[in-house]
Amino acid sequence: MKKLFWVVLLIFIVSCVQAKDFNYGLKQINNLNSKYNTTMDTYPNTISRINSMISDFEEIKKLQLETGKEPFNYLIDYRLLNLEAEKLLIEGQKYGDAGFTKDGFGCKQRPLIIESVKLRNNSALKGFEAVDLSREFVEKYAKEAEIAGISLKSALFLNAAFYQISEGARRDSNIINNFCPKNETLEIYKQSFSKPSFRERNNLSEEYVNNLNYEEAVKIYKKDLGVEN
C-alpha cells in the first residue's frame, strides 16, 4: 500500500511538470506580454519600456527547449522586429507636427521632416521584415502559428499598416525636397540668423553667418529650437 502511494505520487508529480516545448516557450512570451500590459499585436507606449521589453525578449530567447525551439525563435524574432519598428516610429514622431507636412510646413522645418522621414522609413523596413518572417512562420509551422495567433491575415493587416507609414514618409520627403531644397533652406536660415537679436542670442558674427553651409546652419537652428542635433 505504501509502495502504491509513492508510485501514484510520482505519477502526479511527473504529470504536473510541464514539458519544455513550444507551448512552454509561448507561455513565457505571454507572461512577458502581460508584464508590459501588451499583446502580440500591441506595444509599450514609451521608448524606455520598449527597450526594456526588447532586453527581456532577448533574454528569454536563450531559453533551452526540449522541442519546438525553431518555431519559438521565429515568434521571438517576429516580436523583436515589431518592437524595433514601433520604437523607430515613436522616434519619428518626436517633433510632433513639425516633423510632418500634412498640416502645413515651413522650409526651416526641413531637417526635422527629413529626420522624421528617415526614422519612419526604417520603421517600415523593420515592419516589412516582421511581415515576411510571420508569413514564413505560418508556412513552416502552421500549428504553432495558429496557437500563437499569427496568420496570413494578420500579416496582411500588418503589411498594410507599414505600407501606410512608408507612403507617408515618401510623400513628406517628396514635398519637402520639392518646395524646400537645401540651397533655398540655407538662404532662409541665413536671413533669419542675420537678425541682430538672433546673432546676439547665439553669439554669432555676421561674417560667420554669411559663410555657413547647410549642415552648420541646421545645427544652429536645432540648438536655438532646443532640440538635439
Side-chain angles (χ1 to χ4, degrees):
M1 188 69 179
K2 186 175 181 181
K3 183 178 180 181
L4 179 62
F5 169 78
W6 286 111
V7 170
V8 171
L9 180 61
L10 181 61
I11 293 173
F12 176 76
I13 292 172
V14 170
S15 67
C16 289
V17 176
Q18 183 178 356
K20 288 192 174 182
D21 55 10
F22 175 80
N23 288 330
Y24 176 84
L26 180 59
K27 183 178 179 181
Q28 309 315 306
I29 291 174
N30 289 335
N31 288 342
L32 195 50
N33 280 325
S34 295
K35 174 183 174 181
Y36 290 91
N37 195 28
T38 63
T39 67
M40 290 300 290
D41 301 314
T42 60
Y43 321 92
N45 57 8
T46 65
I47 289 177
S48 61
R49 284 182 63 77
I50 288 176
N51 284 336
S52 177
M53 195 173 192
I54 287 172
S55 295
D56 284 348
F57 266 106
E58 288 174 340
E59 193 61 33
I60 66 168
K61 189 177 180 180
K62 300 173 185 176
L63 187 66
Q64 295 301 312
L65 300 181
E66 296 162 7
T67 60
K69 179 63 174 175
E70 186 171 350
F72 174 71
N73 284 345
Y74 264 101
L75 200 54
I76 292 287
D77 289 341
Y78 168 76
R79 188 63 169 144
L80 285 171
L81 284 169
N82 272 321
L83 287 167
E84 290 285 358
E86 183 68 12
K87 177 182 173 181
L88 288 163
L89 185 60
I90 292 174
E91 289 177 340
Q93 298 169 339
K94 64 182 176 181
Y95 297 127
D97 291 342
F100 296 78
T101 64
K102 62 181 179 180
D103 294 323
F105 64 96
C107 286
K108 286 184 180 180
Q109 293 169 231
R110 174 187 165 86
L112 308 185
I113 293 170
I114 292 296
E115 185 178 342
S116 173
V117 163
K118 182 178 179 180
L119 289 164
R120 284 180 280 147
N121 270 329
N122 288 339
S123 172
L125 289 174
K126 286 287 184 182
F128 292 141
E129 282 187 60
V131 170
D132 290 342
L133 193 68
S134 68
R135 287 171 175 162
E136 189 176 328
F137 179 35
V138 171
E139 290 169 3
K140 289 185 69 173
Y141 298 100
K143 181 181 177 182
E144 288 85 351
E146 183 178 2
I147 294 171
I150 307 296
S151 67
L152 293 178
K153 184 177 180 180
S154 64
L156 184 64
F157 282 120
L158 191 64
N159 189 71
F162 284 112
Y163 177 77
Q164 287 185 334
I165 293 169
S166 177
E167 282 296 288
R170 182 188 62 81
R171 183 173 58 252
D172 283 347
S173 178
N174 288 341
I175 289 173
I176 201 65
N177 282 314
N178 183 47
F179 289 99
C180 302
K182 279 187 177 183
N183 60 330
E184 292 184 16
T185 304
L186 176 58
E187 289 307 312
I188 291 171
Y189 282 146
K190 285 183 176 181
Q191 290 173 20
S192 177
F193 299 170
S194 293
K195 295 176 182 178
S197 59
F198 187 96
R199 287 196 290 107
E200 184 178 344
R201 185 169 71 248
N202 291 276
N203 195 27
L204 304 173
S205 70
E206 187 173 357
E207 182 182 2
Y208 180 77
V209 170
N210 290 335
N211 289 290
L212 286 170
N213 61 35
Y214 174 77
E215 286 73 21
E216 292 168 339
V218 166
K219 289 181 180 180
I220 294 171
Y221 165 71
K222 293 179 77 174
K223 181 181 178 182
D224 189 66
L225 202 62
V227 299
E228 295 180 4
N229 287 314

